[in-house]
Amino acid sequence: AQSVSQHNHHVILSEAASLELGCNYSYGGTVNLFWYVQYPGQHLQLLLKYFSGDPLVKGIKGFEAEFIKSKFSFNLRKPSVQWSDTAEYFCAVIDTGGFKTIFGAGTRLFVKA
Amino acid sequence: DSGVTQTPKHLITATGQRVTLRCSPRSGDLSVYWYQQSLDQGLQFLIQYYNGEERAKGNILERFSAQQFPDLHSELNLSSLELGDSALYFCASTTGQSSYNEQFFGPGTRLTVL
């Protein structure tokens, strides 16, 4: 079965700093990857997804992620964070078979104003 | 607002008790997924239903069960509750039966077992 690792559990940044959150998955075959975000007091929502094609994926709110197959990674990036980006970020992968989504443990980002 | 509703928002109960959590998917969505989010285990997939039938099972305990009704709402039943069952329980819905579609999450039910 697939697994997902998010190495940073807590990240604190100042506004305008650049962000990179790490995500590694275990499976070497065809992968389908997601980043979800959970703002304080809100439901999880999709930031971006990768199924195939251009490995650099652009999402909402200025976020992007790069799929690097050789490194089994799908890191999330944003060039300049804002206070409103304070949230918990989850990397996820669809398990082989296509029915289960496996989530990473999440990374809590706090952006200081 | 994702269009997915969950009731109740909060639930406080005692060990050994049984509770039922309810989820209504977005209009038109046929799949419902249940997840458990706890501090030590993160977001864990429990079970998926598609159009009334169980489609996939994750790390769901035998004390837990779920069903999806003809009107497509779903209920997650948790019995013989233990302290460790305290968590946020989310449901999500999608149009199709696979996970390739974006999942729309509800606001969650926070269960506290005392």
Side-chain angles (χ1 to χ4, degrees):
Chain A
Q2 282 269 28
S3 65
V4 178
S5 297
Q6 291 183 245
H7 312 296
N8 314 103
H9 296 295
H10 294 91
V11 173
I12 301 174
L13 294 173
S14 298
E15 275 196 314
S18 65
L19 169 72
E20 181 159 4
L21 301 182
C23 171
N24 287 92
Y25 58 91
S26 61
Y27 181 59
T30 302
V31 286
N32 300 282
L33 297 152
F34 303 83
W35 276 98
Y36 280 84
V37 61
Q38 186 176 25
Y39 297 102
Q42 295 188 28
H43 56 86
L44 275 93
Q45 53 190 287
L46 183 68
L47 262 184
L48 49 80
K49 63 184 177 184
Y50 172 79
F51 284 178
S52 63
D54 189 344
L56 187 61
V57 181
K58 301 235 184 258
I60 60 171
K61 304 189 182 188
F63 286 91
E64 64 180 31
E66 186 174 12
F67 169 62
I68 303 179
K69 190 172 181 178
S70 61
K71 294 185 178 180
F72 297 85
S73 71
F74 189 56
N75 293 353
L76 182 71
R77 299 195 294 243
K78 186 170 184 179
S80 174
V81 294
Q82 302 171 309
W83 176 80
S84 58
D85 293 324
T86 293
E88 189 159 16
Y89 294 81
F90 294 90
C91 181
V93 63
I94 297 178
D95 202 2
T96 50
F99 294 115
K100 301 181 196 179
T101 302
I102 311 299
F103 283 83
T107 297
R108 292 192 177 204
L109 171 67
F110 180 72
V111 180
K112 298 184 289 184
Chain B
D1 183 359
S2 66
V4 178
T5 60
Q6 289 186 249
T7 56
K9 267 187 158 176
H10 302 277
L11 201 47
I12 301 174
T13 189
T15 54
Q17 295 298 304
R18 174 190 167 94
V19 296
T20 297
L21 313 183
R22 183 187 168 107
C23 169
S24 293
R26 287 189 322 156
S27 176
D29 283 357
L30 299 178
S31 272
V32 171
Y33 300 77
W34 285 98
Y35 294 89
Q36 179 192 58
Q37 185 181 28
S38 58
L39 281 174
D40 56 341
Q41 299 223 10
L43 196 63
Q44 298 277 316
F45 167 72
L46 295 177
I47 197 164
Q48 180 209 359
Y49 278 82
Y50 173 77
N51 205 22
E53 292 190 10
E54 183 185 303
R55 267 292 176 265
K57 240 176 176 174
N59 302 321
I60 188 165
L61 299 171
E62 283 192 17
R63 300 183 284 110
F64 296 1
S65 64
Q67 53 184 323
Q68 187 178 28
F69 294 86
D71 68 352
L72 301 176
H73 90 270
S74 178
E75 293 181 356
L76 179 67
N77 300 296
L78 315 176
S79 61
S80 303
L81 285 168
E82 302 174 0
L83 295 177
D85 297 327
S86 295
L88 259 175
Y89 291 84
F90 288 103
C91 79
S93 72
T94 63
T95 49
Q97 60 179 313
S98 77
S99 292
Y100 296 105
N101 301 309
E102 175 182 353
Q103 292 183 44
F104 293 87
F105 283 81
T109 293
R110 184 172 292 281
L111 173 66
T112 302
V113 182
L114 301 174

